[in-house]
Amino acid sequence: MMTRRFVLATALAGLTAVLSAQQAPDRTHPPQPGPPPALTLPTIQKRQLSNGLPVWMVEMHKVPVVQVNLLVFSGTADDPAGKFGVASLTTAMLEEGAGARSALEIADAVDFLGADLGAGTSIDASAVRLHVPVARLAGALPIMADVALRPTFPKDELERLRRERLTNLLQARDDPPTIAALAFSRILYGPAHRYGTAMLGTGATIAAFTPDDLRAFYAATFRPANTALLVVGDVAPDHVMPLLESSFGSWTAQTGAAAHATLPAAPEPARREIYLVDKPDAAQSQVRIGWIGVPRSTPDYFPIQVMNTILGGSFSSRLNMNLREKHGYAYGAGSGFDMRASAGPFAASAGVQTDKTAESLKEFFNELNGILQPIPPDELARAKNYVALRFPGGFETTGDISRKLEDALVYHLPDTYFSQYVQSIQAVTAADVQRVAQKYIQPGRFVVVVVGDRKKIEPGIRALNLGPIKIVTIDEVFGPAPSIPQ
Amino acid sequence: MAAPKIEVKYTQFTLPNGLRVILHEDHSVPMVSVNMWYHVGSARERTGRTGFAHLFEHLMFMGSGHVQPGQFDEWLEAAGGDNNGSTENDRTNYWINVPSNSLELALFLESDRMGYLLDTMTPKTVDAQRDVVKNERRQSYENRPYGQADITLGELLYPEGHPYHWPVIGYMPDLTAASYDDVVTFFKTYYAPGNASLVVAGDIETETARTLVERWFGDVKPGAPVEPMTMPGVALAGVQKKTVTDKVQLPRLSLAWLTPPHLAPADAALDIVADMLAGGKNSRLYKRLVYDMQIAQSVSAGQNSQALSSYFLIEATPRPGHTVEELQKVIDEEIARLQNDAPSQHEMERSFNQIEASFYNRMERVGGFGGKADQLNAYYTQTGDPDWFNEDLGRYRPLSATDVQAAAAQYLPLGRRVELVVMPEGSK
């Protein structure tokens, strides 16, 4: 079926061109698209190493580069109570000493190969990621394996990263979007829930971590049974499997499943509340409005994608058209559901000019209320097409594909997920969109965070009568300013 | 490893109205990118109208003769497309990425705004985007830590009247002053097909794409030729020193030098100098300031290549308890060391290998900013040859360690540079 449509499209395009080359173009109507091009999804080849480590591979032979990711199914959400930030610091320390190599030796070897090697943690996973010219893969894999499998957690390097991270935390207090995002999470989830604290942790936790904390977290999570390898790029599986086997196949140090933290359920706010963070003389107010959204496993995933595209997920979305194009209050406005293993936040957001802060809040709520009403058919069709038709373009680079594979693994997406994606979007109905809007967008219970010049914006916000107003200090958002050991 | 050979096949032709066109096939995903460069940027602005080239860029998305306001984005989104544009000192670029079955829609929209922009332009449209751009300035400069200093840096490097003196984003009173008449004049002067180049790249058949480009751009009227910019040479006579304050926790030191333009001799050597100073943990400044002494939170270095005059910039942020003076002392020691002794062959090889790998990485994506379509247009604009990838890469490997040393010695004099310090408000 797809092939027939593709052939037809080619024939039609040729015909149009021949007919029209002789005449001035008809500009009275936009040219209509041909039938959609055939979507050829990359084939995922699944194998495993002798120690059971699963390997997912996608061949791409356009550019002689390869991406290799060692993906561990534990992230900051698995930080134990009192140790918020340990996952992030543990992963960062992997490159600071491993096997027989020092931090400087690792960096020199990687840079000399023209490779990019990085270790990082997200909320639901950690990874060591390598991007390298394929001719240098054999040289880079043993270094990557040292970093992932044989970290040494040197005390001096920990002290250095500790000071660096405490300074990062100090500098975060300068940046209004960072303040707004963290304040929003803090207010929704509270200090006890992992989602209510920065991924880095707090000044107190960062100051207290010991090498043993890092070793304990590493031992509990970096194990073959909690890990997968991804290879995307200009390699043949039969050629690359022996290389992977020799670097990762004998990894058996820790067996058994990793312990995963269970996050407490966070209650939704019961009523609308406004939180002001004072940033004297700020030229704009950073606004976040929303509540706790949905987990990645939500059965409403596709209707939510469509609904959010209409509300604030594209340039022509309602929030952007209103706050930017109609009123000029902002450079841009949008909304998004941050989906994680547990329910992450939904937020509508913008930076708005200080003297239009109250007016902007009014328009935000106009749109948040408006999305609860039936969606006009052409707007619905546009949003569905926007999400569905651009989907094939998301498989272009080794990085694009490896990120999609990571999502599939971390969130246990079904094998048919990618091949069914376009159909799943196109199947969303107006009734679906209205149902999920009414379920997940409840403006009467939304938390509003505004980071701006309180003296100038508070009277206008009060006059809107949106709900009780609370003043939040920067220290309440971040904890006290950290002191950095010399 | 032998230096990679990168080949980007293309077809090039010029329309009767003067529009230069470059086509490139890449069928890896069923997408097409339509990438247009206009050879005008903020350097062409006149006094009292700074920021205008960028404001104008915003107006290019607001509809044209056969496209009502809002339809540009609505139609592209309905086709699964994305689009954006950007303005620099020397050029303004626009791209539209669409699934390949909507190539003709993208060509229609791109040609309509080139041929018929003024048909729907009104003073009200200008006012609306003026407000948006002012908020872009607030968000990206005024409300961003150290953002104001980034504007000050250009003012210190280039004398008043030099077209790189003012920021691309412009000054607020000038944005307020921009008028509808300015829009008409600017469009007629700089947005003619003869002052632009178009790349269509991705999932296309070259012959079909050529026919479609001829069809949609053929009726765009030619304009008067644009005189090339002539620029008096600039030089710093001594140290230009300035301290400004900002709402930040930590000070920041910026050291900047005027350096040869993009692709001039020494431009590539200065890229290597930058990498040796601050690229990676073993680079000289990072290793001493951040890794060994731990008196800096961060340090960066870069040769910022531009068409008329480049600048080399080193920035460093001290850790709490340390000062910019401590950092500057070490930075100057390391610059002097590079000026006095040629770097090791290991450092040279490390830089070459990273640069070569970066050329591969740039081949992965077709559309958007920095994709192959954008690169073809950039090379065409800068050299007249769209497929200048190998020539560009070939600038680096032949450099010797003494070339790098000489570039540092000639272009990074400690006595002729800008020294800009940002201090936290209220600090002494």
Side-chain angles (χ1 to χ4, degrees), chain A residues 408-422:
Chain A
L409 280 159
V410 171
Y411 296 110
H412 312 288
L413 305 181
D415 284 346
T416 54
Y417 178 78
F418 296 122
S419 60
Q420 295 294 306
Y421 186 94
V422 170

Side-chain angles (χ1 to χ4, degrees), chain A residues 53 152 229 408:
Chain A
L53 192 61
T152 52
L229 271 171

Side-chain angles (χ1 to χ4, degrees), chain A residues 245-256:
Chain A
E245 180 65 35
S246 99
S247 280
F248 301 99
S250 54
W251 181 35
T252 52
Q254 300 286 341
T255 55

Side-chain angles (χ1 to χ4, degrees), chain B residues 87-99:
Chain B
T87 309
E88 292 182 354
N89 303 45
D90 304 307
R91 61 95 182 127
T92 310
N93 70 350
Y94 301 86
W95 54 261
I96 297 173
N97 296 345
V98 280

Side-chain angles (χ1 to χ4, degrees), chain B residues 344-395:
Chain B
S344 72
Q345 209 46 51
H346 182 80
E347 285 175 291
M348 292 292 291
E349 195 68 27
R350 194 172 66 203
S351 286
F352 292 149
N353 290 344
Q354 288 180 79
I355 287 166
E356 285 166 7
S358 76
F359 271 75
Y360 280 143
N361 300 342
R362 284 163 43 186
M363 291 296 112
E364 288 206 63
R365 195 179 294 286
V366 171
F369 295 123
K372 271 197 289 181
D374 209 32
Q375 294 177 67
L376 285 161
N377 225 335
Y379 281 135
Y380 175 72
T381 303
Q382 292 149 4
T383 71
D385 178 1
D387 181 14
W388 211 69
F389 294 92
N390 284 301
E391 289 82 353
D392 189 1
L393 183 53
R395 295 191 298 146

Side-chain angles (χ1 to χ4, degrees), chain A residues 198-486:
Chain A
M199 306 226 307
L200 279 182
T202 65
T205 61
I206 294 171
F209 287 130
T210 65
D212 284 345
D213 287 327
L214 309 188
R215 288 198 181 94
F217 189 85
Y218 177 83
T221 57
F222 275 67
R223 337 178 138 196
N226 195 39
T227 300
L229 271 171
L230 305 177
V231 181
V232 181
D234 187 21
V235 288
D238 288 342
H239 170 73
V240 78
M241 280 300 287
L243 295 177
L244 298 175
E245 180 65 35
S246 99
S247 280
F248 301 99
S250 54
W251 181 35
T252 52
Q254 300 286 341
T255 55
H260 284 277
T262 309
L263 294 179
E268 290 286 12
R271 57 170 187 176
R272 185 158 60 206
E273 291 181 333
I274 292 82
Y275 295 83
L276 284 188
V277 184
D278 191 17
K279 195 89 171 84
D281 300 325
Q284 283 193 333
S285 301
Q286 279 288 333
V287 177
R288 301 289 180 279
I289 302 173
W291 66 346
I292 295 169
V294 294
R296 182 61 181 80
S297 59
T298 174
D300 291 326
Y301 180 83
F302 293 103
I304 286 174
Q305 294 300 317
V306 175
M307 184 271 288
N308 186 66
T309 299
I310 296 166
L311 175 62
S314 71
F315 190 91
S316 288
S317 69
R318 294 176 174 194
L319 283 169
N320 195 58
M321 291 309 286
N322 182 332
L323 284 144
R324 171 183 160 125
E325 295 295 299
K326 183 175 174 197
H327 286 105
Y329 297 157
Y331 177 41
S335 62
F337 286 81
D338 185 353
M339 298 188 194
R340 310 165 177 175
S342 298
F346 161 79
S349 57
V352 302
Q353 71 188 68
T354 299
D355 62 359
K356 299 293 183 196
T357 302
E359 291 87 339
S360 297
L361 292 182
K362 188 162 166 278
E363 295 305 330
F364 265 110
F365 278 99
N366 282 341
E367 298 303 344
L368 291 167
N369 287 314
I371 197 70
L372 309 178
Q373 300 303 314
I375 307 296
D378 59 332
E379 194 179 8
L380 177 65
R382 185 173 81 228
K384 285 161 61 173
N385 283 340
Y386 179 64
V387 179
L389 299 179
R390 66 208 290 262
F391 183 73
F395 292 84
E396 187 173 11
T397 68
T398 54
D400 289 343
I401 293 181
S402 68
R403 275 187 291 277
K404 284 192 156 55
L405 298 187
E406 285 194 7
D407 270 354
L409 280 159
V410 171
Y411 296 110
H412 312 288
L413 305 181
D415 284 346
T416 54
Y417 178 78
F418 296 122
S419 60
Q420 295 294 306
Y421 186 94
V422 170
Q423 283 163 264
S424 304
I425 290 290
Q426 294 296 8
V428 172
T429 66
D432 293 333
V433 170
Q434 195 168 6
R435 178 180 59 79
V436 296
Q438 292 183 346
K439 186 169 178 187
Y440 301 115
I441 307 293
Q442 297 190 23
R445 295 171 64 189
F446 278 179
V447 159
V448 179
V449 171
V450 183
V451 180
D453 187 338
R454 180 185 170 188
K455 176 168 86 296
K456 290 188 191 133
I457 63 179
E458 187 178 347
I461 296 175
R462 269 193 198 285
L464 290 175
N465 277 320
L466 289 170
I469 297 180
K470 298 183 177 177
I471 307 301
V472 183
T473 65
I474 301 260
D475 279 359
E476 284 168 329
V477 177
F478 288 95
S483 67
I484 287 90
Q486 297 295 307

